[in-house]
């Protein structure tokens, strides 16, 4: 019988209402969000206090316990040009894994509601530190302030809570206590057995963070593994360590307060020139891996880490089909924001825009293919014409290689919108570029069927609406996508697109002209990816994402 601390039981009582609401939200799929996405609830001086807390890290070693650490690592460079200079303990992989395994037994014995409540407390503490996290995310990823606040803070926390909720739901599918199994035997006495079931976590989990959305993409895997009983080693991207280092430190504090070994969550930071992910992930102790990033490394993990359950989100070629519209102006406005947000550095941003070569019907009359393409280009150009406004949408480019990719992409086809650099009005070293847009012919599939990560999109003429949909479907089936969009006034075309997306297993958004965008999703309602095409083998968050992180082990004996 595991002895649970008084503090852990207090957390169970504290977070029970939240878990009940979260379970209901997951079942109904309507709007529900626990964490405020406006600054006011975080305090009158939240922005200034967050900046000061962030600045306190600069030029110093980050204080966190890492088992067997010796020396330091640290290579973060702000895309906005400020000096970071933060160092982190250099991990000893043997000691980190040994400590994680040693921490596991007590955590495994804890009931599902205990683990879920401890995770909920970690998320509550993370939410309280949101003002600080804004700047940690902003200056490692290049996200503009508002996106860093929402996507790096409350929206990431929502996704984390969603993973906790689905893990809790999966673990409570069998009775928690003892049951009596009685089978009649006719005239003979019945067969009677006592049975109970234990939850057996897979083992040590590794969460590999990405450089663009370290918290939003990282929290689902981290909390899905932790709530199901697995210790987690967090391996951040070398360019975006601070947000996840802060997360790990908070998690360790909560775990210790609740009477558990803080080594249930450990940090394993590295440098670009001395990566540790391959060595770490191929260790036999590692049983679960979560990864967001390049197709090349995601595929390597899938091929070489056979001892582990590997969840990957890799590259895709997201598309929008424009067949017709009854709100041409609204469509252009919506698409302009979609293509501009965070300089296209989102795994959900549209890359390929398929348009019938004969043009489309609109509320403004017939528009030729060239008129549609020109309107898209001018829409983005106009939307970003005010530099002071533009930088708050674009943010900065996280990796210099992405800026170089724009130049190469502009050689592929007919440029209808040329990318231009922008001087940031108050962060003079910021790496800011506007999107580029090109027209590519349909036979240039070799170019548009590979992800051109960053602010580059292609407008592609097809024979008609059906050809647009079928071409888009093939790109997803062969190369993957996380988002798909359609503009059409025809119910038959909408149904055709829905069937095509069902075949390709990609989420579809139809006729977005207002304040909802194809590249944004809501926790507890939208699934991020489906796990059914080459872009990702898992969905954030469904039961499949959590259920394979543990097993039910039955124990039975005669009653």
């Amino acid at each position: 019988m595991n002895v649970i601390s008084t503090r852990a039981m207090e957390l169970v009582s504290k977070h029970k209402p939240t878990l009940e609401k979260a379970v209901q939200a997951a079942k109904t799929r309507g709007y529900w969000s626990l964490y405020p996405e406006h600054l006011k609830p975080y305090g009158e001086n939240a922005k200034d206090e967050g900046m000061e807390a962030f600045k306190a890290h600069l030029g110093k070693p980050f204080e966190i316990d890492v088992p067997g650490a010796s020396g330091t690592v640290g290579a973060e460079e702000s895309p906005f040009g400020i000096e970071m200079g933060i160092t982190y303990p250099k991990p000893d992989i043997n000691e980190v894994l040994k400590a994680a395994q040693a921490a596991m037994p007590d955590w495994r014995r804890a009931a599902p509601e205990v683990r879920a409540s401890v995770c909920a407390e970690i998320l509550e503490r993370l939410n309280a530190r949101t003002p600080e996290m804004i700047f940690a995310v902003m200056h490692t990823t290049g996200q503009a302030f508002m996106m860093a606040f929402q996507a790096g803070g409350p929206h990431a926390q929502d996704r984390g809570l969603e993973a906790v909720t689905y893990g809790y739901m999966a673990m409570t599918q069998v009775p928690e206590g003892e049951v009596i199994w009685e089978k009649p035997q006719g005239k003979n006495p019945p067969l009677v057995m006592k049975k109970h079931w234990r939850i057996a976590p897979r083992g040590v989990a590794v969460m590999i963070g990405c450089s663009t959305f370290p918290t939003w993409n990282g929290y689902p895997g981290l909390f899905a593994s932790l709530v199901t009983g697995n210790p987690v080693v967090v391996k951040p991207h070398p360019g975006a360590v601070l947000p996840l280092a802060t997360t790990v430190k908070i998690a360790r504090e909560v775990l210790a307060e609740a009477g558990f070994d803080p080594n249930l969550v450990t940090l394993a930071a590295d440098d670009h020139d001395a990566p540790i992910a391959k060595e770490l992930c191929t260790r036999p102790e590692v049983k679960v891996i979560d990864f967001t990033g390049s197709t090349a490394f995601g595929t390597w993990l899938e091929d070489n880490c056979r001892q582990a359950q590997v969840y990957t989100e890799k590259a895709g070629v997201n598309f929008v089909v424009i067949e017709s519209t009854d709100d041409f102006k609204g469509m252009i406005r919506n698409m302009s924001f979609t293509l501009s947000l965070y300089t296209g550095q989102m795994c959900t941003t549209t890359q390929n825009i398929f348009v019938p070569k004969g043009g489309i019907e609109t509320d403004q009359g017939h528009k030729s293919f060239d008129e549609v393409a020109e309107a898209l280009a001018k829409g983005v150009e106009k939307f970003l014409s005010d530099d002071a406004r533009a930088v708050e949408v674009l943010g900065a480019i996280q990796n210099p290689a992405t800026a170089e990719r724009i130049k190469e992409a502009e050689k592929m086809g007919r440029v209808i919108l040329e990318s231009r650099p922008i001087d940031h009005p108050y962060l003079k070293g910021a790496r800011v570029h506007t999107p580029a847009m090109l027209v590519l012919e349909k036979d240039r599939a070799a170019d548009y069927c590979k992800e051109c990560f960053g602010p580059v999109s292609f407008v592609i003429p097809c024979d008609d609406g059906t050809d647009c949909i079928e071409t888009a479907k093939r790109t997803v089936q062969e190369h993957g996508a996380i988002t798909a969009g359609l503009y059409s006034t025809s119910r038959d075309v909408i149904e055709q697109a829905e069937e095509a997306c069902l075949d390709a297993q990609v989420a579809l958004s139809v006729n977005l002209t207002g304040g909802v965008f194809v590249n944004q999703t809501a926790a507890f309602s939208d699934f991020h990816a489906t796990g059914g095409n080459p872009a990702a083998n898992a969905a954030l968050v469904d039961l499949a994402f959590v259920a394979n992180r543990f097993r039910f082990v039955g124990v039975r004996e005669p009653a």
Side-chain angles (χ1 to χ4, degrees), residues 339-359:
L339 297 173
S340 301
L341 185 61
Y342 188 31
T343 324
Q345 298 171 105
M346 301 174 69
C347 57
T348 52
T349 299
T350 301
Q351 175 177 296
N352 297 333
I353 304 169
F354 296 98
V355 182
K357 61 185 179 183

Side-chain angles (χ1 to χ4, degrees), residues 156-439:
Q157 295 147 17
D158 277 334
R159 282 294 185 195
L161 182 59
E162 188 179 40
V164 171
T165 302
Y166 272 89
Y168 178 70
M169 291 166 64
M171 291 185 293
T172 53
Q173 293 303 298
V174 301
E176 188 174 332
E178 186 177 87
V179 301
I180 298 297
W181 179 87
E182 184 171 333
K183 181 178 181 180
Q185 295 295 298
K187 295 180 180 180
N188 298 317
L191 300 176
V192 184
M193 301 288 288
K194 294 188 301 183
K195 300 183 181 183
H196 70 274
W197 290 266
R198 297 280 302 278
I199 291 171
R202 276 187 173 270
V204 178
V206 172
M207 191 280 284
I208 303 175
C210 67
S211 61
T212 48
F213 288 90
T215 56
W216 197 96
N217 276 106
Y219 284 4
L222 166 60
F223 285 100
S225 287
L226 190 61
V227 76
T228 51
N230 305 281
V232 185
V233 178
V234 175
K235 209 300 289 181
H237 188 282
V241 182
L242 183 58
L244 291 178
T246 302
T247 300
V248 170
K249 187 171 183 177
I250 292 170
R252 291 173 63 85
E253 291 169 355
V254 173
L255 286 162
E257 289 175 16
F260 295 101
D261 189 331
N263 288 324
L264 284 164
V265 181
T266 50
L267 181 71
D270 61 357
D271 284 323
H272 291 285
D273 56 355
I276 63 172
K278 287 185 176 181
E279 180 186 356
L280 175 62
C281 290
T282 51
R283 288 288 295 259
E285 302 96 320
V286 173
K287 301 300 182 183
V288 180
I289 299 169
D290 287 277
F291 169 77
T292 300
S294 71
T295 296
F297 192 61
T299 301
W300 186 93
L301 290 169
E302 292 167 346
D303 291 343
N304 292 277
C305 302
R306 299 294 185 179
Q307 86 290 353
Q309 178 69 34
V310 181
Y311 299 92
T312 58
E313 182 187 311
K314 301 178 289 189
V317 283
N318 305 312
F319 74 83
V320 165
V321 168
I322 302 177
E323 187 271 340
S324 58
T325 180
D326 58 7
D327 186 359
F328 189 75
K329 185 176 180 180
M331 179 189 75
I332 296 299
R333 184 173 57 244
N334 188 281
M335 287 288 294
S336 296
F337 184 84
T338 290
L339 297 173
S340 301
L341 185 61
Y342 188 31
T343 324
Q345 298 171 105
M346 301 174 69
C347 57
T348 52
T349 299
T350 301
Q351 175 177 296
N352 297 333
I353 304 169
F354 296 98
V355 182
K357 61 185 179 183
I360 67 171
E361 297 305 317
T362 81
D363 58 318
Q364 299 179 10
H366 183 80
K367 298 282 187 180
S368 68
F369 173 86
D370 285 341
E371 287 175 320
V372 174
E374 182 181 1
L376 287 166
K378 286 188 175 179
V380 173
E381 185 177 38
K382 181 180 178 181
F383 181 59
L384 301 174
S385 58
D386 182 331
D387 287 359
R389 177 189 176 190
V391 297
E392 300 303 330
V393 176
L394 294 168
I397 290 181
Q398 202 278 337
N399 191 329
T402 302
E404 292 300 316
R405 193 176 298 117
I406 301 171
K407 299 176 184 177
E408 293 302 313
E410 289 182 332
K411 301 174 184 177
M412 291 182 184
R414 175 164 63 92
V415 177
I416 56 175
L417 179 63
E418 188 174 352
S419 176
R420 65 182 178 89
I422 293 179
D423 291 329
H424 200 288
Y426 57 90
L427 292 168
K428 299 302 181 184
R431 191 164 45 233
V432 185
H433 294 260
T434 63
M437 190 178 296
L438 298 83
V439 171

Side-chain angles (χ1 to χ4, degrees), residues 522-544:
F524 290 98
S525 186
D526 299 311
F527 294 106
H528 175 74
T530 66
N533 67 63
N537 68 7
L540 306 179
V541 174
D542 61 7
L543 283 169

